[in-house]
Amino acid sequence: MITDVLEKMILQLLLKRRDNQYTVNQIKTALKFSNEDMPDIKDAVNTLYSNQFLRKEGNKYQIADLAIQKNTQTEKVKKEESALTNEILTGKFDATSLAKNFSFGFVIMEDGNDIMISSEDTSTAYHNDIVEVELLNRRGKNRYGIIRKVVERAKTKFVGTVEKLQGKNYFYCDSFKIHTPFVVNDIKEDLTGKKVILEVLQWGNKQLNQIPSGVICEVLGVSGLPEVELLSVIRDYELPMEFPEAVMTEVQAIEDKIEEDEIALRKDLRDLYTITIDPISAKDFDDAISLEELENNGLRLYVHIADVAHYIKPDSAIFDEVLNRGNSYYFPRKVIPMLPEKLSNKICSLRPEENKLTLTVTTDFDNQGNIIDQNIYETIICSNYRLSYEEVDLLFEGSKHPFDEEMVHLLNRMRKLSTYLSKNRVRLGYLKFDLPEVQYVFDDEGYLVDLKRSEETESHTLIENFMLIANEYVAKTLTKACKTTLYRIHEEPEETDLIKIKDILKAYKINFKIEPDLNKTWQNVLGCLPTEDYHRVFDRLVLRSMKKAKYSTSRISHFGLGIDYYTHFTSPIRRLCDLIVHLQLKKHVFHKSIQENEKNNLMSNCLFDYAHISTEKEAIADESERSMEFKTLLSFMKKKVGEEFEGIIISFKNSGMIVELDNYPVRGVVKYNTLSDDYYELNDRLKIVRGRRKGKVYRLADKVKVQINIVSEDIYFIILEQLKQEHPQIQNEENVEKKKKSRKFRSRKDKKSRFYK
């Protein structure tokens, strides 16, 4: 797409100046591109020249007669179309390409047929604004237009820093997608280097060369301080910090004590040996587990989930705030909870040696891990122990652990059951991705001192397996009990996605078997990867080729899990969907009054809204958490400028390759123009980069030694050395080719020697 756009921009420039000749560098300057974009501009110029749209004298280019003729014909068609009135469409402005210093953006259309907008034609639109765009050209595969009106602003307040230039104060937004600076009015103090919130009062005028402007409405603190950067993300995404007074009033009125009348209505499981397993830093425990041995070596698994719906009703201020928040937000050293602390960390948290109200799913298994029977009950439990993943893994690894014989026996039985469940999940089509998250190590003042990759250990898998059993059963139960519910769905990938992955892997001499069962086929894709480095690269590539999981009232299977009926039931303390599911169980399975009102009820129209809110808020949580992670990584890596590291190439972009370091879970950019030994070209379809003159190749999963060059809006590396590769298939293939060539050469030489003899 970018190459097509560049070609059109170059043609437009040279058509306007058809009597003049320009070098590639002069074209770059005229289009206001940077040196980093030179490889793309050279590609576009070479393509235009080879298609006879440009002619060349020495190292200078000029528009060719063919292009002039085609332009004349195009202009004629445009006038004819214009006479019929240009179409006005509405869409969302995407300034991502402007943030990357390209001179164009896009208006994103619901039908997927997006419209390209030159930077000169963006009017006063900013990223995510809803705009009206006049469609100028509907010919060919690309559409072009001019933004005529901003219908709705995505935001009027932005987070960023203040800088002083030539005596004037300018505001630079933290988000690079807000592509211009703003003039700051009425500053009574020096705010240079401070993190602030700017409210835009005037959006500028491009025709009058007028820069947008605004006023500072809040000073957050000194830019770069950990607590200030966290606050800036919270403000930028407008995350709720304090609970409204009406919510806190309702919470304070909730009794901690469980009445005997309520206990009498429930299945009493307080004598059942029960444990929780969570991260060592966790404060809210919404799930607990128990295991009983049955006859014939069978097992009964209990999954106990905090009965949050007992305390929260749809006609309450608390429920309104849950709808506002959607889920909890997790940042390094900070959690913004969905529920107030009295509920999330105390009343509803399944803390040890405290009576707690729960909903319990029981599952009976035979001695091979096959499900025999399942039920769900309103229960009361008393957890015996709080365990951490780290402690349980010590036992599973055979290391020294803190458990007595009873606990060791219980955990080993759970481990055996989990192993059966894992095998069954694979049989059903579960896709296992190796995608470790970032673990942060902070000092006492909140500064990041180290980074590590998280690992999914056996204890994590055990809890995940048990929660999946409960979630699937609840989804099936509610499907039978009521007309609809909230499902967690993951739609099947398109056939084109599989073809793209197949083409890329084929270029790396990796083949996989395509089967009638699509889940099995994608399992084969992940299973054919030969090394851990390949998994670091291709697991992410495969995941990105698939659709995102979301919440829906339509029952669609969860492709990644290989489950036909699936929902989220096991985290009602921190997810809206789970709380809605609990309320539905109360109403349709346990036949309790849940005190609905006209605005908030469990009818299908409201469920549709709840699914939308859950999906939308989950996306905001993901984006805000990634934003904070990126700020934290940038701050950490600024101290590493000049240092050398080893890493692997994990992806290719139009202007550079992305390298992930081995020591740290950090990714950075290597611009192609920093590879000084050749002019490198990207084959995006096959994901390889090849030098034009010397033929040197960079592939995905290549090992490289890099130096950290610049840390600004991103992390930039310079490649120092291409290290010994780990491409088993490719190396074998290359060795075969070398042997073939060697045999051919010897054969010709032998023939010649015999002839001369």
Side-chain angles (χ1 to χ4, degrees):
M1 171 64 82
I2 288 176
T3 303
D4 292 342
V5 171
L6 285 174
E7 290 172 13
K8 289 178 174 63
M9 293 173 68
I10 293 167
L11 282 175
Q12 289 171 5
L13 172 70
L14 297 185
L15 278 165
K16 289 178 184 177
R17 308 175 187 183
R18 60 185 64 182
D19 295 328
N20 299 328
Q21 296 179 329
Y22 294 90
T23 65
V24 175
N25 192 54
Q26 288 169 334
I27 291 172
K28 178 208 74 176
T29 304
L31 292 175
K32 298 180 180 179
F33 280 84
S34 66
N35 289 333
E36 295 172 350
D37 302 309
M38 194 59 131
D40 291 325
I41 294 171
K42 284 181 179 178
D43 278 347
V45 169
N46 288 333
T47 301
L48 291 170
Y49 176 67
S50 63
N51 290 331
Q52 300 181 3
F53 289 136
L54 301 182
R55 54 192 182 85
K56 184 179 180 183
E57 291 184 19
N59 66 339
K60 292 190 174 183
Y61 294 86
Q62 187 176 10
I63 201 75
D65 293 338
L66 177 63
I68 295 172
Q69 292 170 8
K70 280 191 171 264
N71 183 66
T72 304
Q73 294 169 0
T74 302
E75 289 298 321
K76 184 179 178 182
V77 172
K78 276 186 180 180
K79 287 179 182 177
E80 291 172 356
E81 289 181 346
S82 183
L84 298 173
T85 305
N86 287 331
E87 190 176 359
I88 301 294
L89 302 172
T90 302
K92 182 182 286 189
F93 181 55
D94 184 348
T96 303
S97 49
L98 289 174
K100 295 179 179 178
N101 294 321
F102 288 104
S103 58
F104 54 86
F106 292 91
V107 173
I108 307 301
M109 308 302 294
E110 284 189 3
D111 62 3
N113 199 1
D114 301 337
I115 302 170
M116 195 201 85
I117 310 292
S118 168
S119 60
E120 298 174 353
D121 298 325
T122 58
S123 184
T124 63
Y126 285 84
H127 188 65
N128 281 341
D129 285 351
I130 305 300
V131 299
E132 285 186 356
V133 56
E134 181 181 359
L135 190 62
L136 299 182
N137 183 353
R138 289 171 289 176
R139 297 173 62 83
K141 65 177 183 178
N142 298 326
R143 305 202 296 178
Y144 306 90
I146 296 175
I147 292 177
R148 294 300 186 191
K149 180 183 177 182
V150 176
V151 178
E152 182 183 344
R153 293 286 177 192
K155 299 178 73 171
T156 58
K157 293 181 179 180
F158 300 99
V159 175
T161 53
V162 176
E163 293 184 21
K164 185 169 283 190
L165 297 172
Q166 298 179 343
K168 279 191 174 183
N169 290 300
Y170 292 91
F171 170 87
Y172 292 87
C173 188
D174 277 6
S175 171
F176 295 102
K177 293 181 182 181
I178 304 303
H179 54 282
T180 66
F182 295 76
V183 173
V184 184
N185 300 326
D186 302 327
I187 288 188
K188 295 182 175 61
E189 57 180 307
D190 185 9
L191 295 178
T192 304
K194 295 287 181 67
K195 189 77 69 175
V196 300
I197 297 177
L198 177 94
E199 182 175 10
V200 181
L201 300 179
Q202 192 273 114
W203 294 93
N205 188 313
K206 287 195 174 182
Q207 283 70 34
L208 300 177
N209 245 357
Q210 190 179 56
I211 299 176
S213 62
V215 295
I216 304 300
C217 56
E218 186 177 356
V219 179
L220 302 179
V222 178
S223 180
L225 293 177
E227 65 274 14
V228 174
E229 294 302 327
L230 174 58
L231 184 58
S232 73
V233 171
I234 291 170
R235 290 283 192 271
D236 193 24
Y237 287 89
E238 299 176 351
L239 304 182
M241 287 288 286
E242 304 297 329
F243 286 95
E245 187 176 340
V247 172
M248 297 310 297
T249 300
E250 286 186 357
V251 170
Q252 293 307 318
I254 295 175
E255 291 289 338
D256 295 18
K257 183 182 177 183
I258 301 172
E259 298 294 335
E260 289 298 325
D261 290 348
E262 180 62 35
I263 295 174
L265 297 172
R266 293 173 175 261
K267 195 176 185 69
D268 194 338
L269 300 177
R270 285 177 290 181
D271 291 334
L272 183 66
Y273 197 83
T274 300
I275 61 173
T276 61
I277 306 177
D278 292 279
I280 199 165
S281 59
K283 294 180 180 178
D284 56 343
F285 315 118
D286 44 19
D287 60 86
I289 52 177
S290 308
L291 194 69
E292 278 186 330
E293 297 184 18
L294 304 176
E295 294 179 2
N296 301 320
N297 293 321
L299 294 170
R300 175 171 293 159
L301 172 68
Y302 297 79
V303 175
H304 315 282
I305 306 300
D307 189 358
V308 180
H310 177 78
Y311 301 98
I312 301 176
K313 307 302 179 185
D315 64 348
S316 65
I318 302 174
F319 187 79
D320 287 338
E321 185 61 14
V322 168
L323 292 179
N324 177 48
R325 295 182 178 230
N327 42 234
S328 298
Y329 299 83
Y330 294 88
F331 302 104
R333 298 170 61 87
K334 175 71 176 179
V335 175
I336 300 177
M338 184 177 78
L339 299 174
E341 184 180 359
K342 183 178 178 181
L343 284 172
S344 61
N345 290 2
K346 294 179 182 177
I347 293 177
C348 294
S349 185
L350 308 184
R351 302 189 296 187
E353 299 182 355
E354 293 182 10
N355 292 340
K356 299 293 179 180
L357 301 182
T358 49
L359 299 185
T360 299
V361 173
T362 64
T363 307
D364 292 356
F365 298 92
D366 65 17
N367 58 9
Q368 295 300 311
N370 300 307
I371 296 176
I372 301 171
D373 188 32
Q374 287 185 284
N375 286 288
I376 186 168
Y377 306 97
E378 289 184 297
T379 55
I380 181 170
I381 69 165
C382 182
S383 174
N384 297 88
Y385 291 102
R386 179 205 166 185
L387 280 58
S388 70
Y389 289 125
E390 294 82 355
E391 291 172 331
V392 177
D393 285 324
L394 288 175
L395 169 65
F396 291 168
E397 292 165 4
S399 303
K400 186 178 179 181
H401 57 79
F403 306 130
D404 59 24
E405 288 186 16
E406 183 180 16
M407 183 69 76
V408 169
H409 178 75
L410 173 66
L411 290 173
N412 281 331
R413 294 293 284 168
M414 288 182 171
R415 183 187 191 186
K416 185 176 181 180
L417 175 59
S418 177
T419 301
Y420 284 131
L421 296 179
S422 290
K423 290 178 180 177
N424 191 46
R425 284 169 63 188
V426 171
R427 183 179 61 80
L428 293 173
Y430 170 74
L431 304 180
K432 181 173 177 57
F433 294 95
D434 183 14
L435 300 170
E437 297 179 354
V438 180
Q439 282 187 331
Y440 306 95
V441 181
F442 294 93
D443 63 18
D444 293 337
E445 296 179 357
Y447 287 95
L448 185 65
V449 293
D450 199 6
L451 295 171
K452 296 181 180 180
R453 288 180 175 85
S454 66
E455 293 182 24
E456 184 178 327
T457 61
E458 265 199 273
S459 63
H460 291 84
T461 302
L462 182 148
I463 292 298
E464 182 185 0
N465 282 335
F466 293 173
M467 297 305 117
L468 286 175
I469 288 290
N471 285 334
E472 183 179 11
Y473 173 70
V474 167
K476 290 178 179 177
T477 300
L478 285 177
T479 302
K480 292 177 182 177
C482 50
K483 291 181 179 179
T484 187
T485 185
L486 290 189
Y487 297 99
R488 180 68 170 177
I489 67 170
H490 183 212
E491 297 168 278
E492 288 186 353
E494 302 290 343
E495 186 178 352
T496 52
D497 297 324
L498 184 63
I499 292 171
K500 287 177 184 176
I501 292 293
K502 185 178 181 182
D503 286 346
I504 294 170
L505 289 175
K506 190 175 180 181
Y508 287 77
K509 312 301 178 187
I510 299 175
N511 297 304
F512 59 89
K513 184 180 179 182
I514 295 179
E515 302 190 34
D517 186 321
L518 195 56
N519 281 79
K520 296 293 183 185
T521 298
W522 282 97
Q523 282 182 332
N524 293 342
V525 172
L526 295 171
C528 72
L529 302 175
T531 67
E532 287 300 316
D533 283 347
Y534 270 78
H535 277 285
R536 281 172 66 183
V537 174
F538 287 99
D539 280 26
R540 199 174 306 278
L541 196 63
V542 168
L543 186 62
R544 286 177 177 171
S545 73
M546 295 183 174
K547 298 174 183 177
K548 289 193 70 174
K550 61 182 180 181
Y551 297 100
S552 175
T553 54
S554 300
R555 190 193 66 75
I556 298 172
S557 66
H558 195 296
F559 180 77
L561 296 177
I563 296 176
D564 289 333
Y565 296 80
Y566 192 67
T567 191
H568 275 167
F569 155 75
T570 53
S571 294
I573 289 176
R574 48 194 166 189
R575 286 193 304 233
L576 167 63
C577 172
D578 304 56
L579 177 57
I580 299 298
V581 165
H582 276 237
L583 287 167
Q584 279 198 298
L585 287 168
K586 291 283 186 184
K587 180 177 181 178
H588 297 289
V589 176
F590 303 121
H591 308 293
K592 297 288 184 69
S593 171
I594 59 170
Q595 300 172 18
E596 296 171 278
N597 58 26
E598 188 175 340
K599 175 185 168 187
N600 295 331
N601 59 59
L602 301 185
M603 300 296 288
S604 58
N605 58 327
C606 278
L607 286 176
F608 180 84
D609 292 337
Y610 298 154
H612 175 74
I613 292 169
S614 296
T615 300
E616 184 182 60
K617 296 297 184 180
E618 181 181 63
I620 292 172
D622 289 343
E623 288 179 26
S624 60
E625 289 163 14
R626 277 197 302 268
S627 178
M628 189 62 219
E629 177 182 296
F630 189 60
K631 283 173 176 282
T632 308
L633 295 183
L634 285 180
S635 176
F636 180 75
M637 296 309 290
K638 280 179 181 177
K639 303 168 187 175
K640 308 288 182 182
V641 171
E643 293 187 27
E644 298 175 4
F645 298 92
E646 292 184 4
I648 63 169
I649 299 171
I650 63 168
S651 70
F652 295 109
K653 306 294 183 185
N654 284 314
S655 58
M657 64 182 78
I658 310 301
V659 172
E660 182 180 89
L661 303 183
D662 292 337
N663 285 25
Y664 301 115
V666 171
R667 301 178 199 105
V669 183
V670 175
K671 291 285 188 178
Y672 296 132
N673 60 15
T674 64
L675 302 172
S676 56
D677 61 325
D678 204 341
Y679 174 73
Y680 285 87
E681 297 174 319
L682 168 64
N683 184 325
D684 190 49
R685 186 176 69 86
L686 301 180
K687 302 296 181 188
I688 60 172
V689 169
R690 188 183 300 274
R692 182 181 290 176
R693 296 190 305 273
K694 300 177 183 177
K696 184 178 179 180
V697 173
Y698 286 98
R699 296 183 173 91
L700 294 174
D702 271 3
K703 284 190 169 294
V704 291
K705 186 175 183 180
V706 299
Q707 182 181 53
I708 300 177
N709 185 30
I710 300 170
V711 179
S712 52
E713 82 285 354
D714 209 333
I715 301 167
Y716 295 96
F717 300 146
I718 293 176
I719 287 184
L720 302 176
E721 183 183 354
Q722 191 174 18
L723 302 173
K724 184 180 178 182
Q725 306 307 298
E726 291 186 7
H727 297 296
Q729 285 86 348
I730 295 175
Q731 288 174 350
N732 292 341
E733 187 74 15
E734 288 174 347
N735 289 337
V736 169
E737 289 300 316
K738 287 178 183 178
K739 289 178 181 178
K740 283 181 180 178
K741 289 178 182 178
S742 176
R743 283 198 297 269
K744 286 179 182 178
F745 176 75
R746 287 199 303 271
S747 178
R748 287 196 299 270
K749 185 176 179 182
D750 291 344
K751 286 178 182 177
K752 285 182 180 179
S753 64
R754 286 197 298 271
F755 174 79
Y756 284 112
K757 282 179 180 176

